[in-house]
Amino acid sequence: MEKIIDENKQGESLILEPKKENTKKLFIESYGCAMNFSDSEIVASILADGGYNTTQNLEDADLVLVNTCSIRDKAEQTVRKRLEKYNAVKKINPKMKVGVLGCMAERLKNKFLEEEKIVDLVVGPDAYKDLPNLLNEVEEGRDAINVILSKDETYGDISPVRLNSNGVTAFVSITRGCDNMCTFCVVPFTRGRERSRDPQSILEEVNDLWNKGFKEITLLGQNVDSYLWYGGGLKKDFDKASDIQKATAVTFSNLLELCAKAQPKMRIRFSTSNPQDMTLDVVKTMSKFENICNYIHLPVQSGSNRILKEMNRQHTREEYFDLIDNIRKIIPDCGISQDMIVGFPTETEQDHQDTLSLMNHVKYDFGYMFAYSERPGTLAERKMEDDVPHDLKKQRLAEIVALQQNHSQYRTEQFVGKIVEVLIEKSSKKSDAHWSGRNPQSTVVVFPKEHYQIGDFVNVKVNDCTSATLIGEAVGYSKNN
Ligand code: SAH
Ligand code: F3S
């Protein structure tokens, strides 16, 4: 099966070490992107200091928090359905309070309290530190809301509690918000302006993770390549910084290097890269350090120059090919994945063919593909008609998914007969006798467990593959173990 995630089916509840003095129970679950899962760890950490231990049992909860996604309409519908479930539980447990966090909270604001009777609390992505105060209000019987977006909140001072963790891989958030204003995208409205986190606090988190036994981190941001630290402040205000601030600024490639050097045995990944902001410095840094994984998630969205322009993506198809060619020159075995949108307003058959031909040129390792979903408030919604019929979107989506599956198969076949390094993350979903992990290119590898353990770096000889998975056998620990 091709790796197409419906990000919004990943609702997952989280557990953390209970604190003895805490008397109340929190059930928290997340939908959407990795940033939401990471934010929920921050929220659980704030509430652990505010009297709450987490529970995995919805029925037991004093407080239910759902971290929501607005990226496509379907994501929002999933959360609305979940609220119905909470409603049913509340009939049995009338004292239970319900709060909505994340992008839907930010987008819908007060409307949430009006439209959904079950909701007592609405908190946007920059207001989580206000949760203890807001909960006091809720306890006194009032609805509470804080959806103020911030210019400087990065939660750099909060050490997230690692929830539902395999103890091996972790996300480390490095930027918040996005300034790119792609015309289809709701993120700049729900997560605000782009700001970067202090590199010192990032390094402290990375070191702390290593000391706790973690072996791989993913540096996380909507647009990691535009990471820029010059002492705080918005990315867009960098022009106004002093000469000293400019001379000592830390770029994403500097940050990667700092992390790679701080923990030379830790695998380092990052996500997501926007082609317009990715510099060759980053690619060169990747090639310089063995512990930075040779893998780039490089969404392009469309292969048509006309559509790229309508989407306000600041590069052409040709510039994208140049970047891909340069990446492959500097890192020949680099894994590359995509995000693609079909059926953006005005997309013609020719535009769609351009997307197919771009994919044929790149032959991505895997990808995440979506039908365009109009989002209220975005430039595309205000200025363009959602004019590609639903069935045509579905048809084009099926075409790119099938093509990607061929390319994925082509890519996985290249590994057959080779030895790849795998970090063991968990038992394989399909067989308890097999481990599952990933190679540096982020392709999933499964192999018999033998005496190996979760968290081991193992060399695996690949004997077979599907389009999504390499199947092999361990031939020993890797030198990084
Ligand atoms: N830079 C972000 C992108 C967030 S959105 C990141 O960290 O991944 C993830 C993907 O969702 C986008 O790359 C895009 O392919 C898709 N997407 C965003 N808005 C969409 C919309 N309105 N309709 C369909 N897909 C969308
Ligand atoms: Fe969205 Fe474009 Fe930013 S896809 S998150 S506006 S880079």
Side-chain angles (χ1 to χ4, degrees):
M1 270 295 290
E2 183 45 51
K3 270 197 213 171
I4 312 160
I5 47 163
D6 182 344
E7 292 154 299
N8 311 302
K9 282 196 182 136
Q10 298 177 337
E12 217 173 306
S13 58
L14 309 162
I15 333 173
L16 76 156
E17 281 289 302
K19 276 192 181 177
K20 279 209 190 86
E21 64 275 23
N22 286 349
T23 53
K24 288 174 278 184
K25 287 189 188 141
L26 161 70
F27 179 91
I28 180 164
E29 60 181 350
S30 312
Y31 292 83
C33 65
M35 190 68 91
N36 263 3
F37 282 77
S38 170
D39 280 0
S40 290
E41 296 185 335
I42 288 167
V43 168
S45 168
I46 292 169
L47 288 183
D49 294 336
Y52 286 86
N53 282 337
T54 51
T55 171
Q56 270 200 309
N57 242 342
L58 177 57
E59 285 76 10
D60 285 352
D62 299 296
L63 173 65
V64 175
L65 294 179
V66 56
N67 205 342
T68 61
C69 172
S70 286
I71 201 79
R72 285 168 289 277
D73 183 55
K74 212 168 136 214
E76 296 204 349
Q77 295 314 323
T78 308
V79 169
R80 299 268 189 186
K81 283 233 174 66
R82 204 55 195 143
L83 292 176
E84 284 170 24
K85 168 75 184 169
Y86 300 163
N87 226 339
V89 175
K90 191 159 177 159
K91 293 209 172 93
I92 311 162
N93 176 7
K95 279 201 220 135
M96 180 179 103
K97 302 291 181 199
V98 173
V100 179
L101 315 177
C103 288
M104 272 178 93
E106 193 62 50
R107 193 178 85 69
L108 291 161
K109 302 184 170 65
N110 259 322
K111 262 201 232 157
F112 236 128
L113 295 170
E114 289 155 21
E115 287 172 10
E116 302 278 357
K117 289 273 163 308
I118 179 88
V119 174
D120 306 293
L121 176 72
V122 174
V123 191
D126 285 345
Y128 297 144
K129 282 186 189 159
D130 197 25
L131 265 165
N133 298 327
L134 296 166
L135 282 168
N136 284 340
E137 285 196 37
V138 169
E139 266 169 27
E140 283 163 20
R142 291 188 296 273
D143 286 346
I145 178 163
N146 186 344
V147 288
I148 296 169
L149 286 171
S150 158
K151 286 183 180 173
D152 47 24
E153 182 61 85
T154 60
Y155 299 109
D157 54 334
I158 296 204
S159 112
V161 189
R162 303 296 162 182
L163 302 162
N164 224 23
S165 156
N166 56 12
V168 178
T169 59
F171 293 120
V172 175
S173 138
I174 64 163
T175 68
R176 296 185 74 84
C178 185
D179 286 349
N180 275 349
M181 297 302 268
C182 302
T183 57
F184 53 82
C185 186
V186 77
V187 169
F189 302 94
T190 59
R191 288 192 162 265
R193 294 282 73 85
E194 195 172 293
R195 64 217 99 115
S196 296
R197 179 178 164 192
D198 180 350
Q200 206 48 47
S201 82
I202 296 173
L203 286 173
E204 278 162 22
E205 190 173 335
V206 171
N207 290 334
D208 183 52
L209 283 164
W210 178 259
N211 292 335
K212 288 186 171 136
F214 285 82
K215 302 286 174 66
E216 178 184 299
I217 52 156
T218 302
L219 303 175
L220 215 58
Q222 299 300 336
N223 184 18
V224 283
D225 295 275
S226 70
Y227 176 89
L228 186 64
W229 175 259
Y230 58 98
L234 294 179
K235 168 77 187 279
K236 71 177 180 58
D237 292 335
F238 182 61
D239 287 348
K240 295 179 212 149
S242 70
D243 288 346
I244 296 176
Q245 281 178 314
K246 282 184 181 159
T248 55
V250 178
T251 64
F252 181 57
S253 116
N254 301 146
L255 180 72
L256 263 183
E257 177 154 357
L258 288 170
C259 294
K261 280 185 176 156
Q263 289 304 337
K265 288 197 140 193
M266 190 141 186
R267 266 190 180 182
I268 294 167
R269 300 183 184 277
F270 53 89
S271 190
T272 299
S273 296
N274 187 315
Q276 74 203 43
D277 295 305
M278 177 153 213
T279 63
L280 286 185
D281 280 350
V282 169
V283 186
K284 286 177 192 153
T285 303
M286 290 172 72
S287 78
K288 219 162 88 188
F289 294 93
E290 218 193 317
N291 58 329
I292 305 178
C293 289
N294 289 347
Y295 166 64
I296 305 174
H297 182 50
L298 200 61
V300 65
Q301 320 295 359
S302 169
S304 151
N305 275 334
R306 192 182 66 79
I307 295 291
L308 286 172
K309 194 148 189 254
E310 293 288 1
M311 288 176 160
N312 192 31
R313 304 286 288 188
Q314 304 282 324
H315 63 83
T316 61
R317 165 192 177 92
E318 291 73 23
E319 284 163 340
Y320 187 76
F321 285 158
D322 279 350
L323 179 58
I324 297 278
D325 291 348
N326 277 320
I327 291 169
R328 296 225 159 108
K329 233 180 267 163
I330 301 169
I331 310 173
D333 67 343
C334 195
I336 302 177
S337 60
Q338 44 91 346
D339 285 350
M340 212 65 90
I341 297 177
V342 295
F344 185 80
T346 75
E347 186 187 67
T348 62
E349 182 55 30
Q350 184 53 52
D351 295 319
H352 175 57
Q353 290 301 324
D354 288 350
T355 295
L356 295 171
S357 84
L358 176 139
M359 290 174 68
N360 276 321
H361 180 91
V362 182
K363 292 196 176 56
Y364 294 97
D365 290 70
F366 49 89
Y368 306 97
M369 292 154 277
F370 313 99
Y372 173 69
S373 166
E374 186 176 77
R375 306 314 294 132
T378 58
L379 205 70
E381 184 261 343
R382 285 184 283 133
K383 297 274 155 66
M384 301 180 90
E385 194 189 333
D386 183 7
D387 59 356
V388 178
H390 179 77
D391 287 350
L392 191 54
K393 283 183 189 167
K394 286 260 138 128
Q395 186 191 319
R396 288 180 183 167
L397 184 59
E399 280 175 39
I400 64 168
V401 166
L403 184 61
Q404 181 54 54
Q405 185 147 10
N406 289 341
H407 294 155
S408 296
Q409 180 75 33
Y410 166 78
R411 289 290 172 201
T412 53
E413 278 170 8
Q414 309 307 306
F415 288 109
V416 175
K418 298 203 171 120
I419 289 175
V420 299
E421 187 198 65
V422 180
L423 170 61
I424 302 178
E425 291 175 31
K426 57 190 174 196
S427 280
S428 154
K429 257 189 229 143
K430 286 194 188 137
S431 150
D432 215 33
H434 288 71
W435 288 128
S436 169
R438 281 169 299 151
N439 67 1
Q441 290 79 3
S442 214
T443 300
V444 173
V445 186
V446 297
F447 60 97
K449 285 185 173 172
E450 299 180 63
H451 57 285
Y452 299 102
Q453 300 294 327
I454 289 181
D456 286 346
F457 285 102
V458 177
N459 284 328
V460 175
K461 174 145 187 289
V462 181
N463 297 322
D464 199 0
C465 68
T466 67
S467 63
T469 310
L470 306 177
I471 302 149
E473 59 191 322
V475 293
Y477 291 106
S478 97
K479 65 179 188 325
N480 290 321
N481 202 58

